[in-house]
Amino acid sequence: MRTSDASILIIPGFGDSGPGHWQSRWEDKLATATRVIQPDWAKAEKAQWAGEIAKAVAQADKPVVLVAHSIGVAAVAHAAHLFTKPVAGAFLVGLSDWNRAEVLPGVSHDFAPLPLAPFAFPSWLIASRNDPYCDYEVAEEHAAAWGSKLVDAGESGHINIESGHGPWPEGLMSFAGFMRSLG
């Protein structure tokens, strides 16, 4: 699948992805990419976040490809059963383990437990071996449960600006491979 044939929904993590974040750069670069906007980026409410994703999927005019990061990945997992039309695929990066009470100290949320139901669409989960917000083994478990292809990003931290992944060209190449896999 070519990016021009898809509605690419960018699903940022907690606090939104700033201008230097790879998601923001991809949104600027990919003509059919649109950011899913949350009413409050500083307040993690599962029903609200999942609902906004489901609404964006329902409004898309082309086959939908989700590109999620961090809590955005968890929000996709919570939203998957709400989709009223098929999703072509999901490129999931840097899952945050919201089952850990201390994942983001001082931030209240209702994202636990993370769903383990298989997705009805193809997905890749990109995981780092030294992500401070999710142990690699937890990412492996979720990838297996969701039916996602697990992509080992090595020691890449949380795959965000703080870990040195502003433009993240390797990620864009991986995303291109993912899009090709969708046919």
Side-chain angles (χ1 to χ4, degrees), residues 162-182:
E162 288 75 21
S163 64
H165 295 87
W168 194 37
E170 304 87 357
L172 196 53
M173 288 179 8
S174 187
F175 180 65
F178 173 70
M179 292 298 292
R180 280 191 302 276
S181 78
L182 299 179

Side-chain angles (χ1 to χ4, degrees), residues 8-146:
I8 299 169
L9 299 181
I10 304 289
I11 303 165
F14 188 78
D16 198 4
S17 297
H21 193 282
W22 61 266
Q23 281 187 309
S24 297
R25 292 168 185 249
W26 290 13
E27 181 183 6
D28 291 343
K29 181 177 248 178
L30 301 169
T32 62
T34 307
R35 183 177 302 250
V36 175
I37 304 296
Q38 297 297 340
D40 188 346
W41 290 107
K43 190 172 185 183
E45 289 187 3
K46 173 182 68 179
Q48 184 72 53
W49 283 50
E52 291 299 323
I53 295 168
K55 183 168 57 172
V57 167
Q59 293 172 346
D61 59 356
K62 295 180 181 181
V64 173
V65 174
L66 308 171
V67 178
H69 181 253
S70 193
I71 196 172
V73 175
V76 165
H78 283 293
H81 75 281
L82 301 173
F83 298 155
T84 57
K85 63 186 197 184
V87 167
F91 190 78
L92 311 169
V93 181
L95 169 68
S96 292
D97 182 4
W98 293 91
N99 292 329
R100 283 186 0 210
E102 78 289 352
V103 70
L104 202 54
V107 174
S108 63
H109 66 87
D110 61 351
F111 277 76
L114 291 177
L116 293 172
F119 294 148
F121 45 85
S123 60
W124 287 11
L125 177 60
I126 316 308
S128 168
R129 293 195 170 266
N130 65 341
D131 190 328
Y133 300 107
C134 186
D135 294 335
Y136 190 79
E137 296 74 23
V138 171
E140 282 180 312
E141 292 168 11
H142 283 81
W146 295 336

